[in-house]
Amino acid sequence: MSKLIRPTNYKALLDMRQTEQGIKLIKEFFQQNLSTELRLRRVTAPLFVLKGLGINDDLNGVERPVTFPIKDLADAKAEVVHSLAKWKRLTLAEYNIEPGYGVYTDMNAIRADEELDNLHSLYVDQWDWEAVVTKEQRTLSFLKDVVERIYAAILRTEYLTCETYPQIKPFLPEHIHFIHAEDLLQMYPDKTPKEREDAICKAYGAVFIIGIGGKLSNGEKHDGRAADYDDWSTIADNGRAGLNGDILIWYPVLERSFELSSMGIRVDKESLLRQLKIENQEEREQLFFHQQLLSDKLPLSIGGGIGQSRLCMVMLHKAHIGEIQASIWPDDMREECEKMGMPLI
């Protein structure tokens, strides 16, 4: 409960029936726009994968995946996915997707170690997407172009939502601001990473922070990122390391920064080996996914995840993600939210 944000004078602009209709409208419209903008084909995704293949997303490396034995596979262990960051790249190869095209899917995950608050739930739903790129496209300028196209789809979704529900007023800026995590550190050297995000998002409204996962000049990471999907150690064409980042906005309902997407150009062989060495995870080179990449069986790619419930929360001006999705919450949080006018589904 200590992490629950209690917005002053909060009042939901839509009742629960309108909210459910709004969720449907937003999800259908945004995924069609994303598909068209990035030339993505929808594919069906797994809820769980076999343990020990290196396919599951390790997030920050400390989160425990939900695991269970499979009776018909001699009790081999399966893991509920954290995300599909690496599975999607295997799918690009399986479907022989050409450069300039990709796939997207509805990703549903369980993150049992999540600390529950207004933005974080045990249940995670994303549009996970991945597209094939050429060697020449593995640049920061290409990454920025893709970010701007995703942000354009977000803006169109906001316009449709506000047209459908006039009581909801638009607040997102027309353009998204780019900044490297190191430059952000230099701007706010006395602040924590979260405080830096709040400051830059409040100043610009929408921001893409570049270079998530590598250590900055203070010896710390802006945030954690697994070593085997995003390329966060490449020296990009602006002289800074990193070909990945996060899309964040300033969310006035909660008066804080709000992450909508994590994405990046994926590792090639060289950056995979370099990052595994940096993280002292060289033993992972022997796993199935990593062997596929090191033996040139996987295409170069760019990809990411965009939170479905989070996007709906922002578009509908909700104060708690539990107003958008059905999940499990502590009883005292449910009671407190009910008192504040934000009933959890």
Side-chain angles (χ1 to χ4, degrees), residues 77-95:
K77 296 292 180 63
E79 295 178 342
V80 176
V81 296
H82 278 147
S83 85
L84 299 171
K86 289 175 281 188
W87 176 87
K88 293 175 297 182
R89 198 164 176 184
L90 293 166
T91 301
L92 292 178
E94 183 179 356
Y95 282 58

Side-chain angles (χ1 to χ4, degrees), residues 158-183:
E158 183 187 46
Y159 175 78
L160 174 68
T161 305
C162 294
E163 284 289 291
T164 306
Y165 303 103
Q167 64 269 47
I168 298 176
K169 305 302 179 186
F171 67 91
L172 293 175
E174 185 177 352
H175 301 288
I176 187 168
H177 178 73
F178 292 89
I179 188 168
H180 193 281
E182 176 63 34
D183 296 321

Side-chain angles (χ1 to χ4, degrees), residues 120-328:
H120 297 90
S121 170
L122 300 175
Y123 170 63
V124 179
D125 54 346
Q126 294 183 166
W127 289 286
D128 251 327
W129 64 273
E130 198 86 8
V132 179
V133 299
T134 64
K135 183 177 180 180
E136 292 72 28
Q137 289 174 319
R138 298 187 78 256
T139 65
L140 187 60
S141 58
F142 180 78
L143 174 65
K144 287 181 176 180
D145 177 68
V146 174
V147 170
E148 288 174 339
R149 287 153 65 185
I150 293 173
Y151 188 67
I154 293 173
L155 287 180
R156 287 195 292 271
T157 305
E158 183 187 46
Y159 175 78
L160 174 68
T161 305
C162 294
E163 284 289 291
T164 306
Y165 303 103
Q167 64 269 47
I168 298 176
K169 305 302 179 186
F171 67 91
L172 293 175
E174 185 177 352
H175 301 288
I176 187 168
H177 178 73
F178 292 89
I179 188 168
H180 193 281
E182 176 63 34
D183 296 321
L184 189 57
L185 171 63
Q186 297 305 318
M187 287 178 66
Y188 306 107
D190 298 326
K191 294 182 182 295
T192 66
K194 179 64 182 68
E195 290 170 343
R196 296 197 290 270
E197 290 178 358
D198 286 345
I200 195 69
C201 287
K202 189 170 185 179
Y204 289 96
V207 180
F208 185 77
I209 300 178
I210 304 163
I212 307 292
K215 288 185 178 180
L216 306 176
S217 59
N218 63 354
E220 300 175 356
K221 300 177 181 181
H222 181 83
D223 199 0
R225 197 70 96 244
D228 46 16
Y229 55 97
D230 280 354
D231 187 342
W232 42 256
S233 63
T234 295
I235 302 301
D237 56 7
N238 68 341
R240 298 287 193 192
L243 289 173
N244 74 333
D246 292 342
I247 297 176
L248 301 103
I249 62 164
W250 177 255
Y251 190 41
V253 174
L254 297 178
E255 296 186 316
R256 56 157 288 168
S257 58
F258 191 112
E259 181 186 323
L260 287 176
S261 176
S262 171
M263 57 176 289
I265 292 174
R266 306 309 198 186
V267 290
D268 56 11
K269 289 193 296 184
E270 291 74 18
S271 54
L272 172 65
L273 293 173
R274 180 170 59 250
Q275 291 178 183
L276 288 175
K277 185 175 182 179
I278 291 172
E279 297 296 314
N280 295 314
Q281 295 177 347
E282 292 163 286
E283 75 281 355
R284 295 184 66 82
E285 294 173 20
Q286 304 308 315
L287 297 175
F288 171 75
F289 171 83
H290 304 70
Q291 282 294 305
Q292 292 291 104
L293 177 55
L294 294 172
S295 59
D296 295 315
K297 295 181 180 178
L298 301 181
L300 299 174
S301 67
I302 183 174
I306 302 165
Q308 294 188 15
S309 290
R310 284 197 174 195
L311 183 66
C312 292
M313 181 179 168
V314 166
M315 294 294 132
L316 300 177
H317 293 202
K318 298 293 186 178
H320 197 292
I321 199 166
E323 295 179 85
I324 297 295
Q325 57 160 251
S327 186
I328 296 174

